[in-house]
Amino acid sequence: MKKISIALLLLTYSFLATAQEDITAGIRELKDKISKNEGTEKLKLLDSLSRYIGFNSTDNTYDSITRETIALAYKLNDMDIALARTSSLIFYYANRANKPKAGIKVLEDFEQRNIQTNDYDILARLYTNAGDAYFFSGATKASIPVYEKAENFALQDNDSLLYATARTYKASAHVDMGNYATGSKLLKETTAIFTKQKDTINISFARNTLAVIYSKMGFYKEAKEERDQVISLSRLNNDFRSFIPNLYNASIDADKQGDQELRINHLEEAYKEIEKLAEPFNYTPIITYGLLSAYAQNGRTIETQIFFDKIQKKYAIKNPIPFESAYRFALADYFISIEDFKKAQIESDKALQLHLKANNTEGINQSYERLAEIHKALGNYESAFSYVSKYNHFNDSVNSIQKARALSYYQTLYETEKRDFKIASQKTEIAVLDEKNKVKQQWLIFGGLGLVVLFVIIYLIRSGRFAKKQQVLQEQFSQDLINGQEEERSRLARELHDSVGQKLMLLSKQTKKIDNPNMENLASSTLEEVRSISRGLHPANLERLGLTTAINALVYDINANTELFFTEEIDDIDNMLSKESELHLYRIIQETLSNIVKHSEAKAVKMEIHKTANSIFVLVSDNGKGFDFESKYKNMSLGLKTLYERAKILGAQLQLDSKINDGTEMRLNISI
């Protein structure tokens, strides 16, 4: 049996060697023919050689041969070959050679030629590849308009598959920039197109990007469900370009959730798939680094040393080092595992600088955590404490960003569903009104007679109700004044946001261009102040997220920006009141809290909002200096008057209790 196995191995080796010899011979034959020909025939041979080398050669002659082909094609005015090879060269730099900036340079040279062509198919492919070049070079924002050019050319070519492909890559750019709702919407559109076309490769890519969205928002269960399906589909179709990145991303999520065994399993499976490939693959370095980190962090000493040696032989000698921040981080893990903390510190410092330059918040956070661990091991406790503090600060920031991402994502979905529901509701209302109009005409005559009788009755009782009506009119005037004030506030808020806010945003962008930090900071702070005033004038959260969330946000904002200590128990009271009543309740709470901040000198605030089937009870109390309530009530300020007027509008009972040096308590009981 052993002899048979050896014979099979020798046969396989002989076959591979023969195949490689055939490839080499084919390249040599083409080069020989090229040297003996000129003009169009030489161009065709160069084009053939470029294609042949692109898929079969293991040396680095592809770019030089392709550039020579492009130059000759332009010289002979053969735009078909020139455009096709330009697109292929950009793809090679962006997706094979890990030189995306070289791909951008090829695009710039192409655009300078101002080529006029109606071959929209090749233009769509060229700009899709160029978008990849910008994306992989780190110029994510700049990639979006390039992908949009590819979309437009695909539409002109009536190629829905090319259109969806460019749109999917644009969605990835939006996701990378944190625009998750936009990215999610685009991906759902393109997934429908890919499903219709039965394009399983692009379905996998789109769903993987959706999994990335879920992961970045902390929805790890949903991300795992998406990835498990994509991994199964990719494995079934032998689609390594989707299979390998999905395994790598799944390993990251497993690490975040503390499942180290699953993390290593995913990375090892990805690495085995890479070893089967005959051509270079972009993810190879980063998966190799990931395995080194995973082995080092989990005490796998032998594997750690093997992968450290591999990385040093293969990637340390490259300039630039591919995915250098991940490389430095993996080396730091290795040196920690062998307790060479000084070298670990050097590599961690380098990784931190790279993350700071790229403004990678999560990478910065991981670097701070690692440096705290290293300095503690070195006995540099002051430095360790400093990095722990920075880590805690950034960790809070990352968590806040994650929550904000989730809130923004669901807010966008909510707004979309609300808009669709509103449209359906309006259609229903129109149908109901049509039916009502028929009945209304029948009652016009009877209604007219009824009005005559009603006016007579009103005239008879009017004199008796005059005094009471005056009081009602006074209350109505106050209410109208408050409502008018709210409308004016809303108008001012819109003006500040839409006019002044937009101009300040433009000013902020312009100051960045002139590189004046003082002006930039002034513009940014002024913009934020205008936005804060706008939010104060009109609570947009109340309309978008509901009363309960708006009150929570108000408490959170005051808690975050003052020294007050809050304790709160807030029931969900959404949809218990009309929109107008919700606004008045929100303003009462806002005014009460504002008075506490401005006047009470309190240290702590207690807030309770409880609901029953028939009422809502609100309590706001503080431990501040209080005031003489009886004296204050006799000479009531505009603020107190407004509180009582709003309570009347709500049909609620408002009770204020305060004593000097004994705090203040506001109770509000609203009947439903």
Side-chain angles (χ1 to χ4, degrees), residues 46-326:
L46 276 170
D47 188 42
S48 298
L49 180 60
S50 176
R51 293 169 185 268
Y52 197 65
I53 291 176
F55 292 98
N56 296 296
S57 179
T58 57
D59 60 23
N60 296 318
T61 59
Y62 176 78
D63 57 347
S64 60
I65 294 295
T66 304
R67 284 180 178 277
E68 185 180 352
T69 306
I70 293 169
L72 184 57
Y74 280 131
K75 185 178 179 180
L76 298 176
N77 200 31
D78 191 326
M79 292 300 107
D80 290 340
I81 291 179
L83 290 175
R85 291 309 108 230
T86 298
S87 177
S88 299
L89 186 59
I90 295 172
F91 177 85
Y92 169 77
Y93 282 134
N95 295 282
R96 291 287 187 274
N98 194 29
K99 297 178 180 178
K101 290 184 179 179
I104 295 172
K105 183 65 170 61
V106 173
L107 175 69
E108 290 172 349
D109 292 343
F110 163 74
E111 289 188 326
Q112 284 179 0
R113 293 179 179 273
N114 196 26
I115 304 298
Q116 301 299 316
T117 178
N118 293 327
D119 191 346
Y120 300 122
D121 175 82
I122 192 60
L123 287 172
R125 297 176 191 277
L126 188 152
Y127 276 96
T128 300
N129 295 334
D132 290 348
Y134 279 100
F135 182 84
F136 288 124
S137 71
T140 310
K141 187 175 182 180
S143 71
I144 291 176
V146 181
Y147 285 132
E148 287 173 348
K149 283 187 177 181
E151 288 176 1
N152 291 331
F153 285 127
L155 286 173
Q156 288 178 277
D157 194 49
N158 293 320
D159 192 325
S160 60
L161 203 56
L162 266 176
Y163 170 78
T165 301
R167 205 163 176 78
T168 301
Y169 296 163
K170 184 175 77 172
S172 297
H174 277 292
V175 171
D176 202 55
M177 293 170 62
N179 303 329
Y180 299 113
T182 302
S184 175
K185 180 177 179 294
L186 291 171
L187 288 167
K188 287 174 182 176
E189 290 177 10
T190 58
T191 301
I193 296 173
F194 292 138
T195 303
K196 187 177 180 180
Q197 298 285 344
K198 298 181 181 179
D199 186 343
T200 55
I201 292 176
N202 279 310
I203 290 171
S204 297
F205 180 82
R207 295 189 68 176
N208 173 53
T209 310
L210 273 174
V212 171
I213 293 175
Y214 291 140
S215 178
K216 286 182 177 288
M217 291 188 296
F219 303 159
Y220 298 118
K221 180 182 177 182
E222 291 82 353
K224 186 176 185 302
E225 288 174 356
E226 286 289 337
R227 286 212 178 94
D228 285 348
Q229 293 185 40
V230 174
I231 287 170
S232 298
L233 183 63
S234 303
R235 186 186 283 119
L236 184 66
N237 293 319
N238 198 26
D239 177 15
F240 71 90
R241 296 199 177 281
S242 174
F243 184 48
I244 295 171
N246 267 285
L247 286 171
Y248 176 72
N249 289 332
S251 76
I252 294 174
D253 283 356
D255 185 29
K256 289 178 180 178
Q257 296 176 88
D259 192 338
Q260 294 301 313
E261 183 178 356
L262 183 60
R263 173 194 180 190
I264 291 173
N265 288 343
H266 284 318
L267 287 168
E268 286 180 339
E269 187 175 3
Y271 190 77
K272 287 177 183 176
E273 290 298 317
I274 285 172
E275 287 189 313
K276 296 177 185 177
L277 303 177
E279 57 182 301
F281 187 55
N282 272 359
Y283 267 78
T284 303
I286 204 166
I287 288 172
T288 311
Y289 306 154
L291 272 170
L292 175 58
S293 284
Y295 288 143
Q297 291 173 16
N298 288 279
R300 301 271 288 268
T301 309
I302 296 173
E303 293 96 330
T304 300
Q305 192 60 51
I306 290 171
F307 273 83
F308 174 76
D309 293 339
K310 283 183 179 180
I311 287 169
Q312 292 302 88
K313 288 178 183 176
K314 191 170 183 179
Y315 301 117
I317 58 174
K318 289 185 178 291
N319 185 20
I321 296 172
F323 303 102
E324 188 176 355
S325 58

Side-chain angles (χ1 to χ4, degrees), residues 217-447:
M217 291 188 296
F219 303 159
Y220 298 118
K221 180 182 177 182
E222 291 82 353
K224 186 176 185 302
E225 288 174 356
E226 286 289 337
R227 286 212 178 94
D228 285 348
Q229 293 185 40
V230 174
I231 287 170
S232 298
L233 183 63
S234 303
R235 186 186 283 119
L236 184 66
N237 293 319
N238 198 26
D239 177 15
F240 71 90
R241 296 199 177 281
S242 174
F243 184 48
I244 295 171
N246 267 285
L247 286 171
Y248 176 72
N249 289 332
S251 76
I252 294 174
D253 283 356
D255 185 29
K256 289 178 180 178
Q257 296 176 88
D259 192 338
Q260 294 301 313
E261 183 178 356
L262 183 60
R263 173 194 180 190
I264 291 173
N265 288 343
H266 284 318
L267 287 168
E268 286 180 339
E269 187 175 3
Y271 190 77
K272 287 177 183 176
E273 290 298 317
I274 285 172
E275 287 189 313
K276 296 177 185 177
L277 303 177
E279 57 182 301
F281 187 55
N282 272 359
Y283 267 78
T284 303
I286 204 166
I287 288 172
T288 311
Y289 306 154
L291 272 170
L292 175 58
S293 284
Y295 288 143
Q297 291 173 16
N298 288 279
R300 301 271 288 268
T301 309
I302 296 173
E303 293 96 330
T304 300
Q305 192 60 51
I306 290 171
F307 273 83
F308 174 76
D309 293 339
K310 283 183 179 180
I311 287 169
Q312 292 302 88
K313 288 178 183 176
K314 191 170 183 179
Y315 301 117
I317 58 174
K318 289 185 178 291
N319 185 20
I321 296 172
F323 303 102
E324 188 176 355
S325 58
Y327 166 80
R328 298 294 177 189
F329 208 78
L331 259 58
D333 285 334
Y334 167 76
F335 288 123
I336 289 172
S337 72
I338 64 172
E339 299 185 357
D340 190 342
F341 295 105
K342 287 187 177 180
K343 288 184 179 178
Q345 179 190 344
I346 292 169
E347 297 301 334
S348 294
D349 283 333
K350 290 179 179 179
L352 174 60
Q353 293 307 312
L354 290 166
H355 287 308
L356 286 169
K357 185 177 180 181
N359 196 27
N360 181 352
T361 305
E362 293 183 23
I364 294 168
N365 196 35
Q366 289 178 326
S367 297
Y368 284 149
E369 182 183 27
R370 191 57 43 83
L371 282 164
E373 177 187 350
I374 292 167
H375 279 284
K376 181 181 177 182
L378 289 169
N380 303 331
Y381 297 110
E382 186 176 346
S383 296
F385 177 76
S386 173
Y387 281 115
V388 166
S389 299
K390 291 178 179 179
Y391 167 74
N392 288 332
H393 171 76
F394 264 78
N395 199 43
D396 290 342
S397 174
V398 169
N399 289 335
S400 297
I401 289 169
Q402 197 172 69
K403 289 176 183 176
R405 288 168 176 169
L407 180 61
S408 173
Y409 179 79
Y410 280 118
Q411 180 180 335
T412 303
L413 293 182
Y414 166 74
E415 291 293 337
T416 302
E417 290 177 3
K418 185 172 76 171
R419 184 190 67 240
D420 293 343
F421 174 79
K422 185 176 181 181
I423 292 170
S425 177
Q426 287 173 343
K427 290 179 179 178
T428 303
E429 287 175 2
I430 290 169
V432 171
L433 285 172
D434 287 341
E435 291 298 320
K436 286 182 177 180
N437 284 334
K438 295 178 182 178
V439 178
K440 188 184 291 184
Q441 290 176 356
Q442 298 173 5
W443 283 92
L444 281 176
I445 297 174
F446 299 100

Side-chain angles (χ1 to χ4, degrees), residues 473 475-486 649:
L473 285 172
E475 290 178 359
Q476 186 64 46
F477 174 77
S478 299
Q479 292 172 12
D480 289 342
L481 190 63
I482 290 171
N483 290 332
Q485 184 185 53
E486 288 296 342
I649 295 171

